[in-house]
Amino acid sequence: MDRESMEFDVVVVGAGPAGLSAACRIMQLAQEKEQEITVCVVEKGSEVGAHILSGAVLEPRAMNELFPNWQEMGAPLTTAVSEDRFFFYTSGKSAIKLPNFFIPKPTHNDGNYIVSMGNVCRWLAEQAEGLGVEVYPGFAAAEVLYHEDGSVKGIATGDMGISASGEHKDSYMPGMELHAKYTLFAEGCRGHLGKQLIEKFGLSEGKDPQHYGIGLKEIWEIPADKHQPGLVVHGLGWPLSDTGSSGGAFLYHADNNQVYLGLIADLNYSNPHMSPFQEFQRWKHHPETVKFLEGGTRLTYGARALAKGGLNSLPKMHFPGGLLIGCDAGTLNSVKIKGNHTAMKSGMLAAEAVVEAIAQGESAAKDLSSYADKIEGSWLHEELHSSRNFSGFMHKLGTLMGSAMVWIDQNIFGGKLPFTLHDTVPDYATLKPAAQSKKPEYPKPDNTISFDRLSSVFLSNTNHEEDQPCHLTLKDADVPLTQNLPMYDEPAQRYCPAGVYEIVEDEKGQRFQINGQNCVHCKTCDIKDPAQNITWVTPEGFGGPNYPNM
């Protein structure tokens, strides 16, 4: 296929905190060194921020380094954390408020800010463009391009205007090739291309499998007399404990009488009847949560997977012609429950390695091992090393004992225990047979505090061009009905937070239906399907959620 191509020094895939920080830092360094460097950022969302979903309490450490005068520049970090509360939910009616002494030190939020990461990314994109970066939203990076020697050459954006049957419609427009000296992959958790690169270059050899959670989030506007700007609430235990699952919940009081609330369910759960969406709706009815929401209005909803394996699961992040940065690799600090500052730092370190290499001209290495050295010598590695045992403790010892060991590790030993716990069981392999698992009783939504999935997806502004190939592909179309249904009651019906997957019965019998139009691009199906039969690929650019300020 003949496609037009454009040449850049650096192509960045994904306009999230990692990708935009990398782009900004490259141009800052280029100006300092008086180098001419061209940088392009492609983003599959309809605009920068449209696909960004995060809690989020932002630790400003990386922002302080990238833009030391960010306050004067108008960065949207305006709500400083004023109070931390941490609960252990013992049941649907009760909770124990933990004294600060019993909370691991890294989870304290002094000096941090409650933010919309979507708006932070929009601001970063403005700074990037002001520095000379070309930012192209609405273009999905669909394919990695390679040189004859096997090194990465760049990416190709997806074709537009192909029908579900594979024919070219009147609106057909072929994708474009973007070639670069170095390509930075910053797609976020379980990146479509990052997943391919990890496999092609064997980047995860010798590492624990990556571990994940699914985060579900809503934004509410609540009555002014219930609003406490800067209040940060975290909790664990109920309702996930009812199914032997783990994870936690959060509620952050932002500005404008808004609260950001959500639940993170670890995807190593074993009960196939568990529904993360339903658990989230249940948690909102807890007295410590509902007291803030009564009389309020739900504004938006979304969901996204997060990589939480930490240092033990972190793949090699460099390969010939490119780098993995941010959550495409998995740089989240799971003890802090924060990944934005670490993603930004990884992008900034990648920028240093790239600018140094470009300055060397033709003699520069294609495989930037200097990036690994920069990571190793940074506070990013120090953070990830100190939190390396978190997943092992929580997965092997359970919520109570695991939390106790995390406290000992962090508060007494400062993350320097003389051993490393490994969790070598991938999340998709943890399900027990449905017949051996108790079904939770999920109450019907009251449409005041709790809601169903379809009305929730409506609030995510999700849309895809209907007549296009389905971006949720099955390796074997028979597996859902012949394997997953009899063994696990087909868990895709429940782990998907958007109602994409259904078992439908009609006069011909049962069939597995994929409602791709609903997909919020969370990637949970690609992660949790027990047969690893579902592969998420990029739909047409502009498709997916359109989050206003998540």
Side-chain angles (χ1 to χ4, degrees), residues 406-435:
V406 169
W407 185 90
I408 292 170
D409 180 24
Q410 297 297 317
N411 289 31
I412 297 179
F413 291 93
K416 297 177 181 177
L417 283 170
F419 59 83
T420 298
L421 278 179
H422 293 276
D423 184 353
T424 58
V425 180
D427 292 343
Y428 67 81
T430 58
L431 287 178
K432 295 178 180 176

Side-chain angles (χ1 to χ4, degrees), residues 1-5 159 172 174-177:
M1 180 190 300
D2 289 329
R3 293 184 289 208
E4 292 186 26
S5 65
D159 297 341
Y172 174 73
M176 177 170 286
E177 293 191 0

Side-chain angles (χ1 to χ4, degrees), residues 362-377:
E362 296 297 321
S363 64
K366 285 190 175 181
D367 194 344
L368 297 184
S369 58
S370 62
Y371 178 45
D373 297 334
K374 292 179 184 296
I375 293 273
E376 183 85 20

Side-chain angles (χ1 to χ4, degrees), residues 26-42:
I26 289 169
M27 299 307 278
Q28 287 175 341
L29 290 168
Q31 289 179 6
E32 290 173 15
K33 300 174 186 297
E34 297 184 342
Q35 289 177 249
E36 286 288 334
I37 298 180
T38 55
V39 181
C40 169
V41 178
V42 289

